[in-house]
Amino acid sequence: MSPDTQKIAAAARRALSDNRQSGTSGWDGKRYDFVCPSGTTYPFQWLWDSAFHAIALSHVDPALAKQELRCLLQGAQPDGFIPHMLLWEKNAHEAALREYSITLLHPYFTSITQPPVLARAIERVYEASGDVGFLRDVLPPTLRFFRWLKAQRDPDDDALIATIQPDESGLDASPKYDAAMGVPWDPPEATLPALTRSMDRLFAEYEPLRGDPARILSLDRFVWEDVMVNTIYADGLRRLGPLCRAAGYPEAEAREFEDRATRVRSALETKCWDEKAGVFWDLSGWREEPARTLTFSSLFPLVLADLDPRKAARLIDEHLLNEREFWLPYPIPSTAASEPTFDPGWRTKTTWRGPTWVAINWYLYWGLREHGRADIATELARRTFEMVERAGMREFFDPRTGAGEGASSFGMSTLVLDLIAAEHLPS
Ligand code: GLC
């Protein structure tokens, strides 16, 4: 039986409304009104989650989608930095600081950033609303952010930006970081405590340099050129060009971002592509050692329309559709089934080690379509609907059975609304 997309869309709309947080913050009396990732486990505003929420909201009410991004951009700093978490609600701070591995740069925001999905979200919200005034308001802090990434996170000037700790990619406990972080995967109960200890050591070393990314990078403690992060960055740069033109910016400014998009894509192809394996690898440390753990990141440049079609075909035919790696009953697993660290049933109680995430399927869905493989995109969407219909808006899913795992009523999973619209199914 085909999935009941009307029922799924209703559940997504309910999650977006249940997760709304609004009020006046102790932070200079700023007003906040946004969708949090999950009311129970994640009551704050996260940078990449909020961008995904805005895309989902553009199918519910473009006004709410605009508000989501305007609220987020209240956290944008004059130098361009945008924090990965805005902790609007003071009452919840104590529990957050106890439960999460985070460090603050300011009483109301963290000291790291997250992938710049923001540009893609602005494009979608602008398309849905046609509101040039909105575009003119949100572009300045967004362009500053993309320039900050270039200025502060590309110290070797190779076009690829580096992250300074695992959760900056959003992929907190991905096994690709295990070697760098000294984290074991066996027994599974040992993984999370070891990662927490390792993060504490990292924080202690960074503490004297907090807020000074250039010096943090020079420590060479955790310098990571991540394929997924750089793909999202290149994709964002590419989309900023037309947005600048629509807002009436000079042509040279639009070109600045588009040219950089090309340079980032080209650096990914030159430095991260492994011709023998037919995948991309993240680069670790100043020595840029390829991190050869097969995760969905290795396939992610598929998202880029200008990726060499021959490489795209190899990613799809040799890996994405490979039943021993990624083409499981409920694809795409965050870590390939062929990896010894593959943890589809969430035994490590930590994230990105095997389960399937709707946001990743969403990005790859559009990448498949860009590369002329709409048939596979449709099948990926269909299996995503099936999984969400049975398990609900969970944080992630067991790729073998589709069983839901992690938080309930999870924001990123509401991206099914965009997939339903893209597939022209009833919502
Ligand atoms: C987890 C995820 C991260 C996300 C956050 C809030 O930490 O790993 O990607 O941003 O939760 O949903």
Side-chain angles (χ1 to χ4, degrees), residues 180-181 198 201-202 205-206 216-223:
M181 295 299 283
S198 184
R201 284 196 298 275
L202 193 68
E205 286 176 52
Y206 284 176
I216 286 182
L217 285 166
S218 70
L219 286 180
D220 201 10
R221 182 59 176 74
F222 186 96
V223 175

Side-chain angles (χ1 to χ4, degrees), residues 34-97:
F34 69 97
V35 173
C36 71
S38 151
T40 44
T41 38
Y42 306 112
F44 304 111
Q45 190 166 25
W46 267 262
L47 175 51
W48 80 330
D49 297 75
S50 234
F52 291 129
H53 299 167
I55 294 169
L57 283 169
S58 70
H59 293 281
V60 178
D61 179 354
L64 291 177
K66 287 191 275 184
Q67 178 176 296
E68 182 80 15
L69 297 179
R70 286 189 197 274
C71 181
L72 180 72
L73 287 169
Q74 290 187 88
Q77 297 304 297
D79 68 350
F81 171 69
I82 302 185
H84 106 291
M85 269 175 83
L86 303 176
L87 294 89
W88 291 113
E89 179 50 71
K90 187 83 188 158
N91 294 338
H93 281 195
E94 209 179 300
L97 291 168

